[in-house]
Amino acid sequence: MAKYIFVTGGVTSSLGKGIIAASLAKLLQARGFKVTIQKFDPYINVDPGTLNPYEHGECYVTEDGAETDLDLGHYERYLNIYTSQLNNVTTGRIYQTVINKERAGEFLGKTVQVVPHITDEIKSRMLKLGQDNAYDIVITEIGGTVGDIESLPFIEAVRQLQWELPDEDLVVVHLTLIPYLRAAKELKTKPTQHSVKMMSETGVHPDIIVCRTEEPLNNDIKRKIALFCNVKQDAVIEAMDASTIYEVPLLMLREKLDVICLRKLGVTIFPEPELEKWKLFLDKLKYPKSKVTIGLIGKYIELQDAYKSILESFIHAGAMNETKVQIVNVHSEFITPENVADKLSGLDGLLVAPGFGHRGIEGKITAVQYARENGLPFFGICLGMQMAVIEFARNVLGLKDAHSTEMKEDTPHPVINMMEEQKQVTMKGGTMRLGAYPCVIREGSMAHRIYETTEISERHRHRYEFNNAYLEQFEAAGMMATGRNPETGLVEIMEIPSHPYFIGVQYHPELKSTVENPAPLFVKFVLAVKRYNEQKGQLIGSVLATSTKGTA
Ligand code: GLN
């Protein structure tokens, strides 16, 4: 049987519970334990797949096609493991299961209630990943903030487990905020006291309190928190703001968060953590040798969480290239043929982001045209690849008004079309083409040079695809389908070999980029962007040299 760590949050949301949970998991993994993390979200949506990115940030997709909370992305990026359908559970999913059981007559005439039926379902899912010996430790992050009405059944389930499992099989870590009042030059512990008190009233008392803070916690503050919140003083952990989320595991190591958890779990003998690769990555990240600027063309740019995995992939790829990747967000809605040169000036590369719906589409197409015509390194992901196809159709093949049927159903040239299997689908939730599919890469192509193999598997989340009826026309004009699904022939990769670096992919490579295994498409894109930047520098250098000569 595995041991269980629960991570709850107090005082306010957005304290970085996912990062603390992932950092703790990383440390335990580095000490040789088999660890996984799951997230329990209190909302009623069955999964976040139908949520607008403005509501909840990016929807992360697992290998097995679960549409999940973006924290699962952090878990995979930190631990270099795959998560699955089992790792993200919402209140909606719990109720759906219980109601289906009730309809099937499984409760034998009983009144179905939050306690015990809903809490039983929550508990069984909380324990599930720990039951087949695959993991030594299962960490469960509970979404929301203690005190929210929605999260009460989850906390109640933890209370029951505290009572049902042996004492040394379960530990509760509570993350809170210690605000710093600048005027008084003081750290304040009262919100934490209240939050722990509120949690204790529900019957769950934290074993460890992790304190998010801008200023270091001195011993007096730690003692005060320990005294009022009834935990040991060394179980009060300081979590200072860090310059990068990838530094947090090392901060938590210094504070002994992992050791204190293990001690509570009755584990006394464990090796030193093996974190060499992690530290090397962090060094490269913190001390880059060069800098590039990449434009992210999207329509949800006001909310950084909407493109979380893409931004993190650039961090991994940047470190790999010892280059700082500065991302400039460009709102696709405001790009026009008149201002495109101005809007994209100073960029060393362009990434056109995934997305849905009509808004900002023409701006994306204009940006792609600029990159194609000006030799600017281009990388299109999902909708970004589809826009590259439309741009090529309109401006190279001369197929006026070519479009995707997602945006214009009656387009005369549907170069992007709804997938056959999608045409019958009426329900919105969980019905896209989701999860990992194989792709075979053409020998000698740029994609081949990027991946250094011809067989890959990448994750998907889309309903539309390249229309193969146009394939010959595209290839004859120089845009090549260099990656295809081996069974269906569905186009997965499009590239323009005559361009210095132009590639679009139907899948989402950002979902598989981890600290230890950065996604090849991001690594090579950053490399291309770096070369472009250097050449631009040389070009400017030579222009300056001639002009200096001219004036001399
Ligand atoms: N809206 C497009 C489709 O469904 C692209 C989806 C995406 O970018 N993830 O095919």
Side-chain angles (χ1 to χ4, degrees), residues 378-527:
F378 169 83
F379 182 14
I381 299 182
C382 206
L383 186 73
M385 172 263 198
Q386 298 177 353
M387 293 306 109
V389 164
I390 294 169
E391 190 280 318
F392 197 84
R394 289 185 188 174
N395 300 322
V396 179
L397 302 183
L399 303 175
K400 202 168 157 292
D401 299 325
H403 223 314
S404 160
T405 52
E406 178 180 3
M407 326 302 166
K408 197 168 182 339
E409 247 188 299
D410 60 349
T411 166
H413 301 293
V415 287
I416 303 292
N417 213 354
M418 184 173 265
M419 282 181 279
E420 213 39 58
E421 77 235 31
Q422 286 289 326
K423 290 189 177 150
Q424 274 54 269
V425 174
T426 51
M427 300 287 267
K428 289 273 184 275
T431 55
M432 280 188 247
R433 179 173 184 246
L434 291 166
Y437 285 92
C439 166
V440 172
I441 291 176
R442 190 179 292 174
E443 295 251 2
S445 62
M446 185 162 86
H448 189 193
R449 290 195 295 282
I450 290 170
Y451 278 99
E452 295 171 2
T453 173
T454 53
E455 280 172 38
I456 58 164
S457 165
E458 294 278 10
R459 299 183 197 170
H460 297 71
R461 183 170 188 253
H462 64 120
R463 292 188 202 281
Y464 294 82
E465 62 169 324
F466 178 81
N467 183 347
N468 277 327
Y470 289 90
L471 186 54
E472 256 179 53
Q473 248 179 299
F474 272 78
E475 295 218 321
M479 187 184 242
M480 307 296 181
T482 55
R484 315 259 314 252
N485 180 292
E487 282 137 42
T488 58
L490 200 105
V491 171
E492 298 280 13
I493 307 175
M494 282 298 234
E495 61 184 75
I496 302 181
S498 60
H499 188 283
Y501 194 96
F502 191 105
I503 191 160
V505 294
Q506 184 57 76
Y507 50 83
H508 292 265
E510 73 275 21
L511 299 175
K512 277 176 71 172
S513 188
T514 70
V515 166
E516 279 182 29
N517 276 318
L521 273 165
F522 281 86
V523 175
K524 299 288 167 56
F525 180 55
V526 171
L527 183 64

Side-chain angles (χ1 to χ4, degrees), residues 289-295 321-326 344-350 374-377 500-501 524-542:
K289 298 196 174 113
S290 55
K291 184 183 159 196
V292 295
T293 309
I294 294 177
N321 284 291
E322 296 181 76
T323 298
K324 177 168 175 48
V325 179
Q326 188 190 346
L344 306 186
S345 71
L347 299 179
D348 305 313
L350 205 65
N374 291 282
L376 187 64
Y501 194 96
K524 299 288 167 56
F525 180 55
V526 171
L527 183 64
V529 167
K530 200 169 136 185
R531 293 215 178 113
Y532 178 89
N533 175 282
E534 286 158 6
Q535 278 160 14
K536 199 172 68 174
Q538 281 164 13
L539 208 67
I540 293 170
S542 64

